[in-house]
Amino acid sequence: MPAERSEQIADTLNNLNKLLGHRSRLGICVLLARHTALSFSRLKELLDETDGNLGAQLRKLETEGFIEVNKKFRNRKPVSWYRLTKNGRLGLMKHLDAMTHLINLKS
Amino acid sequence: MENGKIGEDIGYIKNLVDKSELIMNPPSVFILWAAIIAVGFSFVDFAPKYVGFFWMIASPLGGLLSGFLGRKTGRARGQLDAGTGRKHAIYWSGLLTVTILAVLLGVRGFIHGAVTSQVILLVVAMGWWGAGVLFDRYFLYLAGIMMAGFTATLFLNRYVWTAMGLLLATTLTVIAIHKGKKNASGAQ
Protein backbone atom coordinates (compact mmCIF):
# COMPACT_ATOMS: atom_id res chain seq x y z
CA MET A 1 0.00 0.00 0.00
CA PRO A 2 1.47 3.39 -0.98
CA ALA A 3 0.42 5.22 2.23
CA GLU A 4 1.79 2.48 4.45
CA ARG A 5 4.99 2.41 2.43
CA SER A 6 5.44 6.18 2.71
CA GLU A 7 4.97 5.87 6.45
CA GLN A 8 7.62 3.14 6.61
CA ILE A 9 10.02 5.28 4.56
CA ALA A 10 9.38 8.26 6.87
CA ASP A 11 10.06 6.06 9.92
CA THR A 12 13.28 4.76 8.41
CA LEU A 13 14.40 8.27 7.48
CA ASN A 14 13.96 9.20 11.14
CA ASN A 15 16.36 6.41 12.07
CA LEU A 16 19.09 7.89 9.87
CA ASN A 17 21.56 9.81 11.98
CA LYS A 18 22.09 13.36 10.71
CA LEU A 19 25.63 13.35 12.05
CA LEU A 20 26.44 10.41 9.75
CA GLY A 21 24.68 11.97 6.77
CA HIS A 22 28.01 13.67 6.03
CA ARG A 23 30.08 11.28 3.93
CA SER A 24 33.43 11.96 5.66
CA ARG A 25 31.93 11.43 9.13
CA LEU A 26 30.31 8.19 7.94
CA GLY A 27 33.66 7.10 6.47
CA ILE A 28 35.50 7.90 9.72
CA CYS A 29 33.04 5.84 11.79
CA VAL A 30 33.08 2.87 9.39
CA LEU A 31 36.89 2.83 9.38
CA LEU A 32 36.99 3.02 13.17
CA ALA A 33 34.44 0.20 13.39
CA ARG A 34 36.69 -1.96 11.20
CA HIS A 35 40.00 -1.09 12.90
CA THR A 36 40.70 -0.82 16.63
CA ALA A 37 42.30 2.63 16.37
CA LEU A 38 43.50 4.97 13.63
CA SER A 39 45.83 7.94 13.84
CA PHE A 40 44.94 11.38 12.50
CA SER A 41 47.47 11.06 9.68
CA ARG A 42 46.19 7.62 8.65
CA LEU A 43 42.59 8.92 8.57
CA LYS A 44 43.75 11.88 6.50
CA GLU A 45 45.52 9.54 4.07
CA LEU A 46 42.51 7.21 3.73
CA LEU A 47 39.84 9.90 3.49
CA ASP A 48 41.95 12.22 1.35
CA GLU A 49 40.87 15.25 3.40
CA THR A 50 42.67 18.43 4.39
CA ASP A 51 43.87 18.80 8.00
CA GLY A 52 41.30 21.50 8.69
CA ASN A 53 38.31 19.65 7.30
CA LEU A 54 39.20 16.33 8.89
CA GLY A 55 39.86 18.05 12.24
CA ALA A 56 36.44 19.71 12.11
CA GLN A 57 34.63 16.43 11.32
CA LEU A 58 36.51 14.58 14.05
CA ARG A 59 35.66 17.30 16.59
CA LYS A 60 31.95 17.02 15.71
CA LEU A 61 32.03 13.25 16.18
CA GLU A 62 33.94 13.64 19.45
CA THR A 63 31.50 16.26 20.77
CA GLU A 64 28.60 13.91 20.03
CA GLY A 65 30.39 11.10 21.88
CA PHE A 66 30.81 8.92 18.78
CA ILE A 67 34.60 8.76 18.95
CA GLU A 68 37.31 9.29 21.57
CA VAL A 69 40.82 10.58 21.12
CA ASN A 70 43.99 9.45 22.87
CA LYS A 71 47.12 11.55 22.41
CA LYS A 72 50.47 9.78 22.56
CA PHE A 73 54.04 10.44 21.49
CA ARG A 74 55.94 8.48 18.84
CA ASN A 75 59.56 9.40 18.17
CA ARG A 76 58.92 12.62 20.15
CA LYS A 77 56.09 13.59 17.80
CA PRO A 78 52.50 13.82 19.07
CA VAL A 79 50.12 11.26 17.54
CA SER A 80 46.34 11.44 18.02
CA TRP A 81 44.72 7.99 18.04
CA TYR A 82 40.97 7.79 17.43
CA ARG A 83 38.61 5.01 18.53
CA LEU A 84 34.90 4.45 18.10
CA THR A 85 32.99 4.60 21.39
CA LYS A 86 30.23 2.13 22.34
CA ASN A 87 27.73 4.89 21.65
CA GLY A 88 29.33 5.55 18.26
CA ARG A 89 29.19 1.87 17.31
CA LEU A 90 25.49 1.68 18.23
CA GLY A 91 24.74 4.88 16.30
CA LEU A 92 26.62 3.62 13.25
CA MET A 93 24.87 0.22 13.29
CA LYS A 94 21.48 1.93 13.55
CA HIS A 95 22.36 4.26 10.67
CA LEU A 96 23.62 1.43 8.44
CA ASP A 97 20.53 -0.67 9.25
CA ALA A 98 18.33 2.27 8.28
CA MET A 99 20.27 2.71 5.00
CA THR A 100 19.81 -0.98 4.16
CA HIS A 101 16.13 -0.84 5.10
CA LEU A 102 15.63 2.22 2.93
CA ILE A 103 17.20 0.52 -0.08
CA ASN A 104 14.94 -2.52 0.44
CA LEU A 105 11.87 -0.32 0.76
CA LYS A 106 12.62 1.72 -2.32
CA SER A 107 13.61 -1.16 -4.59
CA MET B 1 17.56 10.31 0.99
CA GLU B 2 17.72 8.92 -2.55
CA ASN B 3 18.68 5.35 -3.41
CA GLY B 4 21.41 6.72 -5.66
CA LYS B 5 22.96 8.71 -2.79
CA ILE B 6 22.78 5.67 -0.48
CA GLY B 7 24.38 3.51 -3.18
CA GLU B 8 27.16 6.08 -3.64
CA ASP B 9 27.73 6.22 0.14
CA ILE B 10 27.96 2.42 0.33
CA GLY B 11 30.40 2.37 -2.60
CA TYR B 12 32.46 5.09 -0.91
CA ILE B 13 32.73 3.29 2.44
CA LYS B 14 33.52 -0.03 0.72
CA ASN B 15 36.41 1.62 -1.15
CA LEU B 16 37.65 3.17 2.09
CA VAL B 17 37.67 -0.16 3.91
CA ASP B 18 39.40 -1.90 0.96
CA LYS B 19 42.05 0.85 0.91
CA SER B 20 42.60 0.49 4.66
CA GLU B 21 43.21 -3.27 4.32
CA LEU B 22 46.25 -2.77 2.07
CA ILE B 23 48.83 -2.64 4.86
CA MET B 24 47.95 -6.01 6.36
CA ASN B 25 50.78 -8.59 6.49
CA PRO B 26 53.83 -6.32 6.32
CA PRO B 27 56.58 -7.28 3.79
CA SER B 28 59.13 -7.65 6.64
CA VAL B 29 57.23 -10.73 7.87
CA PHE B 30 57.62 -12.41 4.47
CA ILE B 31 61.36 -11.62 4.42
CA LEU B 32 61.73 -13.06 7.93
CA TRP B 33 60.08 -16.35 6.88
CA ALA B 34 62.08 -16.44 3.64
CA ALA B 35 65.26 -16.51 5.75
CA ILE B 36 63.90 -19.07 8.26
CA ILE B 37 62.64 -21.41 5.51
CA ALA B 38 65.81 -21.19 3.39
CA VAL B 39 67.92 -22.24 6.38
CA GLY B 40 65.44 -24.72 7.90
CA PHE B 41 64.73 -26.65 4.70
CA SER B 42 68.40 -26.98 3.78
CA PHE B 43 69.05 -28.54 7.22
CA VAL B 44 67.04 -31.60 6.07
CA ASP B 45 69.67 -32.26 3.34
CA PHE B 46 72.82 -31.03 5.07
CA ALA B 47 72.29 -31.45 8.82
CA PRO B 48 69.26 -33.71 9.39
CA LYS B 49 70.17 -34.16 13.08
CA TYR B 50 69.47 -30.51 13.81
CA VAL B 51 66.22 -30.09 11.85
CA GLY B 52 63.97 -30.70 14.86
CA PHE B 53 66.04 -28.46 17.12
CA PHE B 54 66.07 -25.65 14.52
CA TRP B 55 62.31 -25.65 13.96
CA MET B 56 61.58 -26.02 17.67
CA ILE B 57 63.30 -22.66 18.19
CA ALA B 58 62.59 -20.95 14.84
CA SER B 59 58.82 -21.61 14.60
CA PRO B 60 57.64 -20.02 17.87
CA LEU B 61 60.30 -17.30 17.70
CA GLY B 62 59.35 -16.51 14.08
CA GLY B 63 55.69 -16.38 15.10
CA LEU B 64 56.39 -13.96 17.96
CA LEU B 65 58.61 -11.81 15.73
CA SER B 66 55.92 -11.77 13.02
CA GLY B 67 53.38 -10.52 15.58
CA PHE B 68 55.84 -7.88 16.77
CA LEU B 69 56.60 -6.75 13.18
CA GLY B 70 52.89 -6.62 12.34
CA ARG B 71 52.16 -4.47 15.37
CA LYS B 72 55.18 -2.24 14.72
CA THR B 73 54.13 -1.68 11.09
CA GLY B 74 50.58 -0.93 12.19
CA ARG B 75 51.77 1.65 14.74
CA ALA B 76 54.11 3.29 12.23
CA ARG B 77 51.27 3.54 9.68
CA GLY B 78 48.75 4.72 12.28
CA GLN B 79 46.48 1.71 12.13
CA LEU B 80 45.86 -0.77 14.96
CA ASP B 81 43.89 -3.99 14.46
CA ALA B 82 43.58 -5.96 17.68
CA GLY B 83 40.90 -8.24 16.18
CA THR B 84 43.02 -9.19 13.17
CA GLY B 85 46.06 -9.71 15.40
CA ARG B 86 44.06 -12.05 17.65
CA LYS B 87 42.75 -13.99 14.65
CA HIS B 88 46.31 -14.47 13.33
CA ALA B 89 47.59 -15.50 16.78
CA ILE B 90 44.83 -18.13 17.18
CA TYR B 91 45.30 -19.49 13.65
CA TRP B 92 49.10 -19.73 13.63
CA SER B 93 49.38 -21.04 17.21
CA GLY B 94 46.86 -23.74 16.22
CA LEU B 95 49.00 -24.69 13.22
CA LEU B 96 52.10 -24.76 15.42
CA THR B 97 50.34 -27.06 17.93
CA VAL B 98 49.23 -29.48 15.18
CA THR B 99 52.78 -29.48 13.81
CA ILE B 100 54.20 -30.30 17.25
CA LEU B 101 51.67 -33.13 17.57
CA ALA B 102 52.83 -34.44 14.17
CA VAL B 103 56.44 -34.30 15.42
CA LEU B 104 55.36 -36.54 18.33
CA LEU B 105 54.59 -39.28 15.78
CA GLY B 106 58.30 -39.29 14.98
CA VAL B 107 59.40 -38.96 18.61
CA ARG B 108 57.25 -41.97 19.60
CA GLY B 109 58.64 -43.98 16.68
CA PHE B 110 55.44 -44.34 14.64
CA ILE B 111 57.19 -42.72 11.67
CA HIS B 112 60.90 -42.41 10.94
CA GLY B 113 63.49 -40.14 9.32
CA ALA B 114 62.41 -38.34 6.16
CA VAL B 115 58.78 -39.44 6.60
CA THR B 116 58.53 -37.21 9.68
CA SER B 117 59.65 -34.20 7.61
CA GLN B 118 57.21 -35.15 4.82
CA VAL B 119 54.25 -35.43 7.22
CA ILE B 120 55.12 -32.07 8.77
CA LEU B 121 55.44 -30.53 5.30
CA LEU B 122 51.92 -31.72 4.44
CA VAL B 123 50.52 -30.31 7.70
CA VAL B 124 52.20 -26.94 7.06
CA ALA B 125 51.07 -26.92 3.39
CA MET B 126 47.48 -27.46 4.51
CA GLY B 127 47.87 -24.70 7.12
CA TRP B 128 49.28 -22.23 4.60
CA TRP B 129 46.53 -23.11 2.14
CA GLY B 130 44.01 -22.22 4.87
CA ALA B 131 45.88 -18.96 5.49
CA GLY B 132 45.58 -18.26 1.76
CA VAL B 133 41.82 -18.61 1.98
CA LEU B 134 41.43 -16.69 5.25
CA PHE B 135 44.10 -13.99 5.28
CA ASP B 136 46.18 -13.48 2.18
CA ARG B 137 45.89 -15.21 -1.20
CA TYR B 138 49.70 -15.28 -1.57
CA PHE B 139 49.79 -18.18 0.88
CA LEU B 140 47.99 -20.27 -1.74
CA TYR B 141 51.01 -20.06 -4.06
CA LEU B 142 53.36 -20.98 -1.22
CA ALA B 143 51.18 -23.92 -0.16
CA GLY B 144 51.10 -25.04 -3.82
CA ILE B 145 54.91 -25.02 -3.92
CA MET B 146 54.97 -27.12 -0.72
CA MET B 147 52.55 -29.65 -2.23
CA ALA B 148 54.66 -29.88 -5.41
CA GLY B 149 57.76 -30.13 -3.21
CA PHE B 150 56.20 -32.96 -1.21
CA THR B 151 55.55 -34.86 -4.45
CA ALA B 152 59.19 -34.26 -5.48
CA THR B 153 60.41 -35.77 -2.17
CA LEU B 154 58.62 -39.01 -3.12
CA PHE B 155 60.68 -39.41 -6.28
CA LEU B 156 63.96 -37.52 -5.75
CA ASN B 157 66.59 -37.92 -3.04
CA ARG B 158 69.31 -35.33 -3.50
CA TYR B 159 68.89 -31.74 -2.36
CA VAL B 160 65.16 -31.65 -3.01
CA TRP B 161 64.51 -29.99 0.40
CA THR B 162 67.16 -27.34 -0.23
CA ALA B 163 65.72 -26.60 -3.68
CA MET B 164 62.21 -26.38 -2.24
CA GLY B 165 63.42 -24.09 0.57
CA LEU B 166 65.16 -21.79 -1.91
CA LEU B 167 62.11 -21.71 -4.19
CA LEU B 168 59.85 -20.84 -1.22
CA ALA B 169 62.31 -18.20 0.02
CA THR B 170 62.51 -16.64 -3.45
CA THR B 171 58.71 -16.60 -3.76
CA LEU B 172 58.39 -15.05 -0.28
CA THR B 173 60.92 -12.36 -1.22
CA VAL B 174 59.09 -11.59 -4.48
CA ILE B 175 55.81 -11.33 -2.51
CA ALA B 176 57.49 -9.00 0.02
CA ILE B 177 58.73 -6.73 -2.79
CA HIS B 178 55.31 -6.75 -4.45
CA LYS B 179 53.58 -5.95 -1.14
CA GLY B 180 56.07 -3.18 -0.41
CA LYS B 181 55.22 -1.53 -3.73
CA LYS B 182 51.48 -2.04 -3.19
CA ASN B 183 51.63 -0.53 0.32
CA ALA B 184 53.60 2.44 -0.98
CA SER B 185 51.06 3.11 -3.74
CA GLY B 186 48.18 2.65 -1.25
CA ALA B 187 49.69 5.33 0.94
CA GLN B 188 49.38 7.97 -1.74
Side-chain angles (χ1 to χ4, degrees):
Chain A
M1 284 205 190
E4 197 181 312
R5 201 169 168 194
S6 304
E7 211 171 285
Q8 277 183 328
I9 291 175
D11 272 354
T12 311
L13 283 170
N14 282 337
N15 280 333
L16 287 172
N17 193 315
K18 278 188 186 144
L19 189 70
L20 300 177
H22 191 286
R23 195 172 277 185
S24 296
R25 290 198 287 265
L26 177 65
I28 291 166
C29 286
V30 168
L31 285 171
L32 291 175
R34 168 64 189 88
H35 305 286
T36 312
L38 293 168
S39 70
F40 183 89
S41 57
R42 180 66 177 152
L43 280 167
K44 190 183 152 198
E45 180 184 304
L46 290 169
L47 292 154
D48 206 14
E49 293 274 3
T50 60
D51 282 10
N53 194 26
L54 179 62
Q57 307 310 338
L58 287 167
R59 263 194 304 279
K60 272 186 191 159
L61 287 167
E62 201 188 337
T63 310
E64 294 294 326
F66 269 52
I67 61 169
E68 60 189 12
V69 60
N70 187 8
K71 291 182 187 193
K72 286 190 175 173
F73 281 87
R74 186 181 162 82
N75 300 329
R76 294 181 186 177
K77 284 180 189 164
V79 180
S80 298
W81 287 94
Y82 293 89
R83 284 173 192 265
L84 199 64
T85 60
K86 203 176 168 185
N87 185 33
R89 193 172 292 272
L90 283 171
L92 176 68
M93 290 306 136
K94 209 173 155 188
H95 184 79
L96 294 176
D97 280 349
M99 278 170 82
T100 314
H101 196 210
L102 209 55
I103 288 180
N104 292 338
L105 277 174
K106 287 189 173 182
S107 57
Chain B
M1 194 182 242
E2 293 301 318
N3 263 15
K5 160 92 165 71
I6 297 175
E8 276 174 24
D9 281 354
I10 289 171
Y12 169 75
I13 55 180
K14 189 193 171 297
N15 282 342
L16 271 183
V17 172
D18 286 348
K19 199 173 161 190
S20 73
E21 304 286 351
L22 280 177
I23 63 162
M24 287 167 74
N25 294 323
S28 49
V29 171
F30 287 87
I31 296 289
L32 169 73
W33 283 99
I36 292 175
I37 284 175
V39 176
F41 276 49
S42 61
F43 269 36
V44 183
D45 289 325
F46 296 103
K49 264 200 223 166
Y50 301 106
V51 174
F53 181 71
F54 176 83
W55 285 107
M56 206 168 69
I57 306 281
S59 299
L61 202 65
L64 287 174
L65 259 173
S66 300
F68 170 76
L69 288 170
R71 196 173 160 77
K72 193 173 171 241
T73 307
R75 280 198 177 280
R77 291 295 300 271
Q79 185 168 308
L80 296 181
D81 286 291
T84 308
R86 247 193 319 271
K87 217 187 278 179
H88 272 278
I90 292 168
Y91 183 87
W92 294 109
S93 61
L95 179 61
L96 181 63
T97 309
V98 175
T99 311
I100 291 167
L101 293 175
V103 171
L104 287 180
L105 285 173
V107 173
R108 293 283 292 125
F110 293 110
I111 49 175
H112 303 277
V115 180
T116 312
S117 299
Q118 286 168 318
V119 168
I120 292 165
L121 180 65
L122 280 182
V123 169
V124 175
M126 190 62 231
W128 283 36
W129 185 268
V133 176
L134 290 171
F135 303 122
D136 196 322
R137 69 186 163 86
Y138 290 110
F139 283 107
L140 294 175
Y141 308 136
L142 297 158
I145 294 172
M146 284 183 190
M147 289 175 201
F150 168 81
T151 312
T153 63
L154 299 176
F155 300 100
L156 305 167
N157 289 323
R158 290 174 70 90
Y159 310 121
V160 65
W161 288 90
T162 306
M164 192 187 343
L166 290 175
L167 184 59
L168 284 166
T170 309
T171 311
L172 280 160
T173 307
V174 171
I175 292 170
I177 293 167
H178 180 67
K179 276 186 169 289
K181 282 182 186 168
K182 215 169 152 185
N183 284 352
S185 63
Q188 282 157 13

